Amino acid sequence: MNILITCAGRRNYLVDYFKDAVHPLGGKVHVFNTDPDSAAYWQADVGAVSPFASDPQYAAFLENYCTTYAIDAVLSCMDVDLSILAGVKEKFATLGIAVIIADPWVTEMAMDKLKTHQFLLDHSLPVTPMFTDLHQALESIRHGKLTYPVYMKPRWGMGSIGLYKAENDKDLIFYFEKAKQLISGSLDRYGMMKDEFASVIIHGSCPGQEYGLDIINDLAGRHMVTVVKQKLGMRSGETDKAVTIQNEILEKLGADIAAITRHPGNMDVDVFWDGEKAYILEFNPRFGGGYPFSHAAGINLPKAIVGWLRKDAVDAKELLTPKYGVMAMKGISIIVNN
């Protein structure tokens, strides 16, 4: 059983989780990364330097690698290649390779924050005002339909790259232009510059406390569990400290989302909860930076995935039942390439 993790970056812990699942079966964990000097690359059993996901040859490189090294399943750690992987799912299935990625409409909706906003509206879920036009946002503020602080971020983006907070008109105008400049620079190398004139979104504040959801389905898209984590600390747009909690309303929200998306594996969702309403900030249909907190609380999705791939009976009580009140944080460790 050989697993390939693409865009692996610093997710060395995910490499270890899958090693624990496949090594007893004689399998290996492979990773793709554009930079060989990365934590996950060094930690993997086998590492390969891949083209950028925006490279036209990326899909062909991926297919050739998977057939050459007898890869059984592919999953991603980053947003940039999700749409590509979703697009090759059916073809790879004919080759006996499982691509554990949501369907194309889900990955496209999750990547495009305007489409995310429309998805929430279509399913009667709470939203905050959102604009791509600076002047419309300023007009809305003048008429009291939008209030400061407001936030700007790339319409297509990841993590906290290009996220700015504006407390007044001057901030809003300045950061809107700054976000556009960033998109046309660093983010464009990932192929994220989809629309030059509507590339930045402006949205209102979400009320309440921020939580992370791991919405876990089996490989057929059947919902298994939603793990709710209260975020206690953030670093570079990623959860740095969290505690698992029981919240029946947020757990039901996860089940409802799972029934719509039918995604395989994990869906990482950021949500604000004010005690009455849940405001979804964004979807990440992949292993997200918050998964280690679920793993620390007793979830073992990598082992479950390997079991599903092998058509084994997976004990959901053992592998997919979280413990509540488990607080964890990320630290720093040194990885040496020997």
Side-chain angles (χ1 to χ4, degrees):
M1 178 63 63
N2 296 316
I3 303 291
L4 170 62
I5 304 172
T6 69
C7 303
R10 299 173 64 230
R11 311 263 199 237
N12 60 305
Y13 53 78
L14 192 60
V15 171
D16 285 340
Y17 297 160
F18 273 100
K19 277 184 175 181
D20 290 342
V22 302
H23 278 188
L25 305 171
K28 292 182 178 180
V29 177
H30 299 239
V31 302
F32 272 7
N33 212 57
T34 56
D35 181 2
D37 291 331
S38 62
Y41 190 101
W42 287 7
Q43 199 92 342
D45 295 311
V46 185
V49 177
S50 72
F52 278 101
S54 56
D55 190 310
Q57 298 303 312
Y58 184 81
F61 181 90
L62 174 67
E63 180 179 342
N64 181 65
Y65 188 92
C66 289
T67 54
T68 300
Y69 291 94
I71 299 298
D72 295 288
V74 182
L75 53 95
S76 178
C77 282
M78 199 173 178
D79 298 329
V80 296
D81 69 346
L82 294 183
S83 294
I84 297 168
L85 295 180
V88 301
K89 276 177 67 172
E90 291 187 9
K91 180 180 181 182
F92 275 44
T94 65
L95 301 173
I97 304 164
V99 178
I100 306 174
I101 298 294
D103 289 340
W105 78 264
V106 179
T107 60
E108 189 175 336
M109 176 274 291
M111 280 296 294
D112 185 337
K113 292 174 178 59
L114 271 187
K115 289 187 176 180
T116 300
H117 188 75
Q118 188 59 51
F119 173 87
L120 298 175
L121 290 172
D122 290 345
H123 293 89
S124 301
L125 293 166
V127 297
T128 59
M130 181 176 289
F131 302 87
T132 58
D133 185 281
L134 175 61
H135 300 293
Q136 288 181 0
L138 288 167
E139 266 310 292
S140 186
I141 289 169
R142 291 189 186 100
H143 289 89
K145 296 178 181 178
L146 178 66
T147 57
Y148 289 112
V150 299
Y151 295 84
M152 279 142 290
K153 64 173 71 172
R155 178 177 166 184
W156 299 271
M158 52 196 174
S160 61
I161 297 175
L163 173 64
Y164 301 108
K165 179 181 179 181
E167 300 279 4
N168 51 54
D169 288 1
K170 184 178 178 180
D171 284 351
L172 176 53
I173 295 167
F174 175 79
Y175 286 126
F176 185 82
E177 291 302 322
K178 188 174 179 65
K180 285 175 65 175
Q181 291 172 8
L182 181 137
I183 293 167
S184 63
S186 62
L187 285 182
D188 194 30
R189 69 174 178 164
Y190 296 113
M192 291 183 174
M193 191 68 165
K194 310 288 185 182
D195 184 343
E196 181 180 356
F197 300 104
S199 58
V200 177
I201 63 163
I202 301 166
H203 68 85
S205 301
C206 294
Q209 167 72 42
E210 187 174 4
Y211 295 82
L213 308 181
D214 278 325
I215 304 175
I216 295 174
N217 289 354
D218 67 11
L219 299 187
R222 292 181 291 258
H223 184 243
M224 305 302 293
V225 66
T226 293
V227 187
V228 181
K229 297 153 291 181
Q230 182 179 351
K231 298 188 179 188
L232 304 176
M234 300 291 292
R235 187 184 298 271
S236 300
E238 189 172 288
T239 307
D240 199 50
K241 181 180 180 182
V243 59
T244 52
I245 67 162
Q246 186 171 22
N247 183 311
E248 293 181 359
I249 294 177
L250 293 182
E251 289 167 10
K252 182 181 183 303
L253 174 64
D256 291 343
I257 294 297
I260 298 168
T261 60
R262 302 283 298 174
H263 62 276
N266 197 25
M267 169 91 78
D268 174 273
V269 178
D270 296 326
V271 58
F272 282 79
W273 167 248
D274 67 2
E276 295 182 0
K277 294 180 180 180
Y279 295 82
I280 292 175
L281 188 62
E282 62 184 27
F283 298 94
N284 299 290
R286 54 175 172 79
F287 277 94
Y291 174 74
F293 301 99
S294 295
H295 203 87
I299 297 293
N300 194 332
L301 182 53
K303 190 172 182 179
I305 286 173
V306 170
W308 290 325
L309 289 168
R310 287 167 49 85
K311 310 297 184 185
D312 294 339
V314 172
D315 187 341
K317 186 175 182 180
E318 177 189 356
L319 300 180
L320 300 174
T321 302
K323 300 181 182 72
Y324 302 117
V326 177
M327 183 182 293
M329 67 181 71
K330 293 176 181 175
I332 297 174
S333 63
I334 300 299
I335 299 173
V336 179
N337 185 357
N338 294 317

